Amino acid sequence: MTIPQRVRLVEVGPRDGLQNEAVAAPVAVRVRLIEMLAEAGLQNIEAGSFVPEKLIPQMAQTGAVLAALKPHVRARISVLAPNSRGFTDAVAAGAKEIAILTAASESFSQRNMNCGIAESLERARALASAARISDIRLRGYISCVLGCPFEGHVEAERVAEIAVELHRLGCDEISLGDTIGVGTPLAARGLVERVAKDVPLPRLAGHFHDTYGQALANVFACLETGLAVFDCSVAGLGGCPFAPGATGNVSTEDVVYMLNGCGVETGVDLDRLLDAGDFICKFLGQPPRGRVALARAAREGALRACVPGQR
Amino acid sequence: MTIPQRVRLVEVGPRDGLQNEAVAAPVAVRVRLIEMLAEAGLQNIEAGSFVPEKLIPQMAQTGAVLAALKPHVRARISVLAPNSRGFTDAVAAGAKEIAILTAASESFSQRNMNCGIAESLERARALASAARISDIRLRGYISCVLGCPFEGHVEAERVAEIAVELHRLGCDEISLGDTIGVGTPLAARGLVERVAKDVPLPRLAGHFHDTYGQALANVFACLETGLAVFDCSVAGLGGCPFAPGATGNVSTEDVVYMLNGCGVETGVDLDRLLDAGDFICKFLGQPPRGRVALARAAREGALRACVPGQR
């Protein structure tokens, strides 16, 4: 099995990551984080979401974040918009890519989006028409593709049906989200293979949470199917709303380390990426997160311990 | 690519794990941990090592640990013995499997074992003769198979040469150790494929540290070659002597979760295994370690938060 020579990483830390952190980061911190991520070489960065502030205070003022970004960085930004109001605000803020949400589980859709899957697809259809008019790139997330906190098992067939709908209605990219991180490599790969029968593989992305430690193995298993777009989060920011305290998204640093080792190009400078992770962890008042970051900190600690006067 | 239907896990937490922890566990704690691991279904448990107490105080009184185990648990035990003195003590303590050490890097061998690779193989040869006489199963560890903290890159050819030597001199199993956790999946798989050209695959085991978060992906990639024996450590106990504070061995719980998800039998009961991890983490005064353990704790915390009076 050969794996792709090049992978595109979609950095979701400033959105899917920060929205699940207890501390809300102010605009200046979010702007600095996004610019550091761009400087590290990330070409796709999800910068925030246009949702009511009272629902997700961590994502307040996403418009101000976009306005403060340098234009060449703003060109790499995607934002989440759950409905037409958010969509309009996102377009007004200058977003060139907008992400929309649906789910592969009816119960999850009801609880997370306050509407059923069919209605979320109807909303998506309306936004897709608006996107075409405004020349906006559209990204569709499907949540719970490998399991649901309420329904348990989720059928790959069902995920494929929804992916086909999103593709037909005009999504440029469809991200298959293991929202609660319960997937394991053969299931993840099997799902991608199944969906790729009905939607072209280059239109698909893998989005794995590391709740049960499986995310990197899932990325590798999917890489072996030829999947070449993965969502990840600097410093593994984020968590699981259904298990507060659990691990978040797969850490971008750990993904880049793996891809570097496998000879896969990402265009990302690992050291600068680690600096970005360090920056946001310090703001959050937390130790480095992600294994590579922890190893770098430990190594530097060991080096400092060897230099007299620096311990 | 099909993967094995059944995998044998070698639990190294009580040895490779605990020897790298700051707090030394007394005999009673080590005995209870080992018995809990056996009750969880682990058939191979590395219980300790026969090394001078002043070098590794955490492994003191390994003989007393063995003596205190129930006989059916003692039958599943392996111990590490770096030289003939340790070997004699291990046999006297009733060990039926003994592990010996060598390395794929000359500098690491010198620093870790105070002798070169050639000399470590000579020692191994002498111990192998003694093992045959005493009907002891012999396990050979090769350290630094995917990288060395002093020499950097390690050639798979060199690892294969050493594995062949260990096989010839009578090792029943040869564990390929990524001691510093720098390996990535294609390299890990390529190494196993190379070594398996010269040593039968069923004689090989994979031993991955999670320093850079790659361990589980490496296990999965090697599983795809047919490798069916993996070393792992409950609660991811352990660390990296060259980067204090870094992550330790791959967590047994995370490996079992992955293998369960892939339909691979291990004979291990994940809940009881998590209880064993919980027990040792509480003794060490640390939060749960390993992603699955963290997710379980987070989920239980979330459940408690929903039950009035239990918060």
Side-chain angles (χ1 to χ4, degrees):
Chain A
M1 231 175 282
T2 54
I3 62 175
Q5 293 189 319
R6 192 172 171 82
V7 154
R8 185 159 57 79
L9 297 178
V10 178
E11 170 59 50
V12 300
R15 201 279 302 173
D16 197 15
L18 288 182
Q19 78 171 22
N20 282 302
E21 296 290 335
V23 180
V27 169
V29 169
R30 289 154 70 190
V31 168
R32 182 76 196 110
L33 173 63
I34 292 164
E35 297 204 328
M36 290 181 86
L37 292 166
E39 286 161 16
L42 286 152
Q43 298 298 320
N44 297 76
I45 304 170
E46 206 176 58
S49 63
F50 287 87
V51 288
E53 182 171 343
K54 67 175 194 313
L55 289 182
I56 307 183
Q58 294 93 330
M59 293 292 102
Q61 294 189 281
T62 291
V65 171
L66 263 62
L69 292 172
K70 293 169 190 152
H72 75 276
V73 176
R74 200 183 308 126
R76 306 183 189 184
I77 291 306
S78 181
V79 293
L80 186 75
N83 53 34
S84 60
R85 169 69 186 274
F87 191 92
T88 307
D89 291 348
V91 174
K96 294 295 175 206
E97 179 179 285
I98 295 180
I100 57 173
L101 268 177
T102 184
S105 143
E106 190 65 27
S107 313
F108 186 88
S109 180
Q110 291 286 357
R111 300 249 208 149
N112 197 46
M113 291 170 283
N114 226 355
C115 71
I117 296 173
E119 192 184 331
S120 77
L121 289 171
E122 278 315 306
R123 286 186 198 174
R125 205 176 314 277
L127 299 184
S129 307
R132 260 191 303 276
I133 294 165
S134 308
D135 197 22
I136 299 284
R137 190 170 183 268
L138 204 63
R139 190 165 210 260
Y141 278 110
I142 309 178
S143 300
C144 294
V145 296
L146 289 166
C148 164
F150 312 112
E151 298 182 10
H153 182 69
V154 168
E155 290 290 336
E157 281 301 313
R158 184 73 185 116
V159 179
E161 284 167 16
I162 296 165
V164 165
E165 280 302 304
L166 289 176
H167 180 53
R168 274 194 200 141
L169 64 81
C171 279
D172 299 283
E173 188 161 290
I174 296 157
S175 176
L176 303 172
D178 181 14
T179 312
I180 54 169
V182 292
T184 45
L186 291 188
R189 179 153 75 199
L191 175 73
V192 171
E193 286 170 345
R194 173 63 194 85
V195 176
K197 282 186 185 168
D198 295 331
V199 177
L201 189 62
R203 295 295 185 104
L204 301 177
H207 179 109
F208 297 106
H209 282 239
D210 204 30
T211 323
Y212 292 85
Q214 310 296 308
L216 207 57
N218 291 345
V219 170
F220 179 73
C222 291
L223 205 59
E224 290 185 307
T225 67
L227 190 66
V229 184
F230 294 94
D231 300 354
C232 45
S233 175
V234 65
L237 288 177
C240 177
F242 303 96
T247 319
N249 288 275
V250 68
S251 144
T252 312
E253 299 91 317
D254 295 4
V255 173
V256 169
Y257 186 97
M258 182 177 85
L259 295 174
N260 284 350
C262 292
V264 177
E265 279 178 48
T266 61
V268 176
D269 179 321
L270 183 55
D271 276 323
R272 298 183 85 164
L273 177 63
L274 283 160
D275 290 341
D278 203 41
F279 165 77
I280 193 64
C281 284
K282 279 184 177 141
F283 166 77
L284 294 169
Q286 301 211 350
R289 286 201 256 166
R291 308 296 207 195
V292 174
L294 200 61
R296 183 172 80 157
R299 220 172 45 225
E300 287 174 355
L303 286 177
R304 270 197 305 280
C306 300
V307 181
Q310 296 224 1
R311 188 151 193 171
Chain B
M1 231 176 282
T2 53
I3 62 175
Q5 292 189 320
R6 191 172 171 81
V7 154
R8 185 158 56 80
L9 298 178
V10 178
E11 169 60 51
V12 301
R15 200 279 302 174
D16 197 15
L18 288 183
Q19 78 171 22
N20 283 304
E21 296 291 334
V23 180
V27 169
V29 169
R30 290 154 69 192
V31 168
R32 182 75 196 112
L33 173 63
I34 292 165
E35 298 204 328
M36 289 181 86
L37 292 165
E39 285 160 18
L42 287 152
Q43 298 297 319
N44 296 76
I45 304 170
E46 206 176 60
S49 64
F50 286 87
V51 288
E53 182 171 341
K54 66 176 197 310
L55 289 182
I56 307 182
Q58 295 92 331
M59 292 293 103
Q61 294 189 281
T62 290
V65 171
L66 263 63
L69 293 172
K70 291 169 192 151
H72 75 277
V73 175
R74 199 183 309 128
R76 305 182 189 184
I77 291 307
S78 180
V79 293
L80 186 74
N83 53 32
S84 60
R85 170 67 188 275
F87 191 90
T88 307
D89 291 348
V91 174
K96 294 296 175 204
E97 180 180 283
I98 295 179
I100 57 173
L101 269 177
T102 184
S105 143
E106 189 65 26
S107 314
F108 186 88
S109 180
Q110 291 287 356
R111 300 248 208 149
N112 197 45
M113 290 171 283
N114 225 356
C115 71
I117 295 172
E119 193 183 329
S120 76
L121 288 171
E122 278 314 307
R123 285 186 199 175
R125 205 177 313 277
L127 299 185
S129 306
R132 260 191 303 276
I133 293 165
S134 308
D135 198 21
I136 299 284
R137 191 170 182 267
L138 204 63
R139 191 164 208 260
Y141 278 110
I142 309 179
S143 299
C144 292
V145 297
L146 289 166
C148 166
F150 312 112
E151 298 182 10
H153 181 69
V154 167
E155 290 291 336
E157 281 300 314
R158 185 73 185 117
V159 179
E161 284 167 15
I162 295 165
V164 165
E165 279 301 305
L166 289 176
H167 180 54
R168 273 194 199 139
L169 64 81
C171 278
D172 298 283
E173 190 161 292
I174 296 158
S175 175
L176 303 172
D178 182 14
T179 313
I180 57 170
V182 292
T184 45
L186 291 188
R189 179 153 75 200
L191 175 73
V192 170
E193 286 170 346
R194 173 63 194 87
V195 176
K197 282 186 184 167
D198 295 332
V199 176
L201 187 62
R203 295 295 186 103
L204 301 178
H207 179 110
F208 297 106
H209 281 240
D210 204 31
T211 323
Y212 292 85
Q214 310 295 309
L216 207 57
N218 292 345
V219 169
F220 180 74
C222 290
L223 205 59
E224 291 185 306
T225 67
L227 190 66
V229 185
F230 294 94
D231 300 353
C232 47
S233 175
V234 63
L237 289 177
C240 177
F242 303 96
T247 319
N249 288 275
V250 67
S251 144
T252 311
E253 297 91 318
D254 296 4
V255 173
V256 169
Y257 186 97
M258 181 177 86
L259 295 175
N260 283 351
C262 291
V264 177
E265 279 178 47
T266 61
V268 177
D269 179 320
L270 182 55
D271 277 322
R272 299 183 83 165
L273 177 63
L274 283 159
D275 290 341
D278 203 41
F279 165 77
I280 193 65
C281 285
K282 280 185 177 142
F283 167 76
L284 294 169
Q286 302 210 351
R289 287 200 255 166
R291 308 297 207 195
V292 174
L294 201 60
R296 183 173 80 158
R299 218 173 47 224
E300 288 175 355
L303 286 178
R304 270 196 305 279
C306 298
V307 181
Q310 296 224 0
R311 187 151 193 170

